[in-house]
Amino acid sequence: MRHVLVTGGAGYIGSHACKILRASGFTPVTYDNLSTGWREAVRFGPLVEGELSDREKLDATFARYRPLAVLHFAALSQVGESVRRPGLYWRNNVEGSLTLIEATAEAGCLNFVFSSTCAVYGDQDGVLLDESCALHPVSPYASSKRAIEEILRDFERSHGLRSAIFRYFNVAGADPEGEIGEFHRPETHLIPVVLEVAEGRREAVSIFGTDYPTPDGTCLRDYVHVMDVVEAHLLGLRRLERGGESRVFNLGTGHGYSVREVIEQCRRVTGRPVPVVESGRRPGDCAALVSGSARARRELGWEPTRSDLGRMIADAWAWQQTGHYDS
Ligand code: UFG
């Protein structure tokens, strides 16, 4: 069997990756501590419950499954929380990833696909961000991802570990077949929060900052459908299997939507009212993060076919109404 080790396979993006891997003839082996992921989301291959910091368990997992690659999604990923608790982010994300990367390289598994973030670029005065931009992370979350990118470069020199590093912009939407979707407790991401308001589960959505240097004063983000994101991972994996060199790829569409525009689109898709409360900026947020890169399209043949904002919200809405793991 063609096993792929998927850390964070019980989480939002990782579970969608497992689905597409399975559909493409691989067997995804989820490695997850279930701290933020869901057992019910592991539907496409075996689950190994373990910590990234548990070297013995990692070694046993590599020995048992002999994966041809690792897709590394497991991470804490809330910008605001990382500002309040930097130690947690450095320990979990960086120390945990270091243990995983070392275990991977020493097991002789030399293909590594890593989930990084556009937040590594930080604010760059309205320029579209491509992979050649300098990195200026403004939150511990973003710094932790940049550090892991550097660790991967060092292990390429020492062990020949090749990587595809994906810097995601804002991942949204859900499996259009409704099997899996985004589910965080507590939920902090904009689209699911707005949809919870539309559903009547929250009273209002807070807009974090209305005085940014953007057209309507709220933050701009580049939203990309989770199925498009995991499709890129598959293409990245195949590239590594063919012997392709290490490469960094942005995953975004090149179009930025403001917080107010996203809320308006949610009103349209759901047909429900969404009350808002204007509040202060959230520490660690950048004003605008919009991908200017065509590299993934050019070099991987990636086409984000589902990343229309209305469609992403419609998929998220369908999932939110039917698919919660605990309801
Ligand atoms: N926002 C609100 N109100 C909310 C939630 C969010 O106004 O209740 C705003 C945020 O301030 C931000 C935008 O909506 O301007 C998007 O916020 P999210 O929390 O949905 O996403 P982030 O941009 O902070 O972060 C997400 C992922 C990160 C990833 C990053 C890349 O959580 O892992 O996208 O931009 F790195």
Side-chain angles (χ1 to χ4, degrees), residues 13 76-80 116-120 141-142 145 168-171 182 184 187-194 202 204-209 212 218-223 257-259 262-263 277 279-282 284-287 289:
I13 306 170
L76 296 172
S77 66
Q78 289 179 31
V79 173
S116 188
T117 170
C118 64
V120 294
Y141 167 69
K145 292 288 186 175
Y168 310 157
F169 285 68
N170 284 55
V171 185
E182 181 168 16
H184 298 110
E187 187 53 77
T188 62
H189 292 111
L190 181 63
I191 291 176
V193 165
V194 175
R202 287 182 194 235
V205 56
S206 295
I207 298 181
F208 297 144
Y212 283 99
T218 67
C219 293
L220 292 179
R221 293 288 183 274
D222 181 342
Y223 294 85
Y257 291 96
S258 73
V259 173
V262 169
I263 294 170
V277 174
S279 52
R281 294 185 178 195
R282 185 173 68 177
D285 274 347
C286 298
L289 291 168

Side-chain angles (χ1 to χ4, degrees), residues 88-244:
L88 182 66
Y89 275 68
W90 281 90
R91 197 165 298 111
N92 184 79
N93 289 3
V94 180
E95 215 175 290
S97 296
L98 174 58
T99 305
L100 170 71
I101 292 165
E102 199 165 36
T104 305
E106 290 178 3
C109 173
L110 298 177
N111 300 323
F112 200 94
V113 181
F114 175 55
S115 307
S116 188
T117 170
C118 64
V120 294
Y121 296 115
D123 269 321
Q124 312 228 356
D125 279 341
V127 295
L128 291 179
L129 303 166
D130 72 27
E131 294 87 348
S132 63
C133 287
L135 306 185
H136 300 292
V138 295
S139 67
Y141 167 69
S143 300
S144 76
K145 292 288 186 175
R146 179 177 69 175
I148 299 161
E149 291 190 9
E150 286 177 18
I151 292 171
L152 284 170
R153 287 189 194 102
D154 288 344
F155 275 82
E156 176 164 25
R157 280 190 287 271
S158 62
H159 289 75
L161 180 75
R162 285 169 310 115
S163 60
I165 295 174
F166 290 107
R167 292 180 182 153
Y168 310 157
F169 285 68
N170 284 55
V171 185
D175 169 23
E177 294 172 2
E179 261 187 296
I180 45 178
E182 181 168 16
F183 190 47
H184 298 110
R185 281 294 173 265
E187 187 53 77
T188 62
H189 292 111
L190 181 63
I191 291 176
V193 165
V194 175
L195 294 178
E196 285 182 9
V197 176
E199 230 183 344
R201 291 152 70 109
R202 287 182 194 235
E203 278 184 17
V205 56
S206 295
I207 298 181
F208 297 144
T210 55
D211 59 348
Y212 283 99
T214 58
D216 69 13
T218 67
C219 293
L220 292 179
R221 293 288 183 274
D222 181 342
Y223 294 85
V224 56
H225 198 297
V226 64
M227 295 306 295
D228 286 333
V229 166
V230 298
E231 177 82 39
H233 285 65
L234 193 62
L235 295 168
L237 171 60
R238 294 217 162 106
R239 176 189 151 95
L240 290 172
E241 275 197 296
R242 287 195 305 272

Side-chain angles (χ1 to χ4, degrees), residues 128 169 222-223 251-256 290-293 297 304:
L128 291 179
F169 285 68
D222 181 342
Y223 294 85
L251 294 180
T253 67
H255 190 99
V290 182
S291 173
S293 166
R297 294 174 195 254

